Amino acid sequence: MLFSLPLFLAPALVAAHGAVTSYEIGGKTYEGYQGFSPVAGAQIIQRQWPDYNPIMTVTDPKMTCNGGTSAPIAAEVAAGENVTAIWAQWTHEQGPVTVYMYSCDGEFTACDGKSKKWFKIDEMGLWGDVLNSNNWGTALVYKNLKWSSKIPETLKPGNYLIRHELLALHQANTPQFYPECAQITVTGSGTAVPSGEYLTSIPAYAAQSDPGIMVDIYMGSATSYKVPGPAVWTG
């Protein structure tokens, strides 16, 4: 991981990686964060990350929300509606896309995402049987620079974090995680919550040795891919 760079290399860092920079919810655009260090008082729903560097291990504390801890506002979304994450740019076409949610059970200011309450609402890994291809969820982000996921229709209303993660697998056995979190308030009349089998902690939703994380898409013998983490909960 890169910890410091000369200023003249900063544009190269931006070009190499990417992050969610805005959201579309209920016909409204909510600005995210773009930059190299958090901006005090920015009126955004996203928890600001400290830098663009990839996270290299699934147990890194930054995996929760890429180091972001709070945001001043939240977006309201009705259960059953879509949340669309938008990237300004993305450069890798091999790896899965996953979308998680976390019930805050109260105010966002006390919601750190550290309990075993994350549940997956969306994922796309590999289609077909050729790992060394562009038939991956992240290839769709590369092409469209957006990802839309439905909030489960029966989900209980309340304050939630929504977490988008791109896992880049373009370097053999060198996974790169790119997660971001935003604050949303779910409305509706649902009463459903995911059961224990769907819940996980982040960091460490899987072992670093998980075959969905430690992958050689070029020289490996695998002909299928399972996205790491729990099964998708649809409500």
Side-chain angles (χ1 to χ4, degrees):
M1 184 179 294
L2 301 173
F3 292 97
S4 62
L5 285 172
L7 289 178
F8 66 84
L9 287 181
L13 181 61
V14 176
H17 307 312
V20 178
T21 52
S22 62
Y23 301 84
E24 292 179 356
I25 302 172
K28 183 177 179 180
T29 298
Y30 294 85
E31 291 303 317
Y33 170 63
Q34 301 185 49
F36 288 93
S37 59
V39 177
Q43 295 301 296
I44 59 177
I45 67 171
Q46 190 179 66
R47 297 194 160 187
Q48 299 180 59
W49 63 88
D51 54 54
Y52 276 88
N53 296 333
I55 299 169
M56 308 303 287
T57 62
V58 73
T59 56
D60 190 316
K62 287 178 64 179
M63 278 289 286
T64 306
C65 288
N66 199 16
T69 58
S70 64
I73 62 174
E76 187 173 288
V77 54
E81 286 189 330
N82 283 356
V83 172
T84 300
I86 299 172
W87 287 256
Q89 57 89 49
W90 178 249
T91 59
H92 308 306
E93 297 184 78
Q94 294 82 32
V97 178
T98 55
V99 184
Y100 284 86
M101 291 181 66
Y102 181 93
S103 176
C104 290
D105 296 327
E107 297 300 319
F108 288 111
T109 53
C111 187
D112 62 6
K114 295 300 185 181
S115 298
K116 189 178 180 181
K117 296 192 297 182
W118 288 100
F119 56 98
K120 190 188 295 180
I121 65 165
D122 195 11
E123 68 176 26
M124 179 174 284
L126 174 76
W127 64 91
D129 58 4
V130 182
L131 272 67
N132 184 14
S133 70
N134 293 335
N135 298 332
W136 290 90
T138 53
L140 298 180
V141 175
Y142 176 88
K143 177 182 178 181
N144 302 315
L145 294 178
K146 61 174 57 179
W147 192 269
S148 189
S149 303
K150 181 181 177 180
I151 303 300
E153 292 182 1
T154 59
L155 181 63
K156 181 181 177 180
N159 290 339
Y160 291 84
L161 302 179
I162 187 165
R163 177 184 180 276
H164 291 81
E165 179 190 300
L166 305 184
L167 170 53
L169 301 175
H170 59 286
Q171 292 183 318
N173 297 312
T174 310
Q176 297 183 10
F177 302 89
Y178 297 87
E180 288 86 35
C181 294
Q183 300 180 169
I184 60 172
T185 298
V186 175
T187 64
S189 58
T191 59
V193 294
S195 58
E197 65 184 296
Y198 293 100
L199 299 176
T200 187
S201 299
I202 300 179
Y205 59 66
Q208 185 74 9
S209 60
D210 188 290
I213 292 175
M214 199 60 64
V215 184
D216 183 346
I217 67 170
Y218 308 105
M219 303 299 291
S221 59
T223 57
S224 63
Y225 178 85
K226 182 181 183 299
V227 178
V232 171
W233 184 76
T234 58

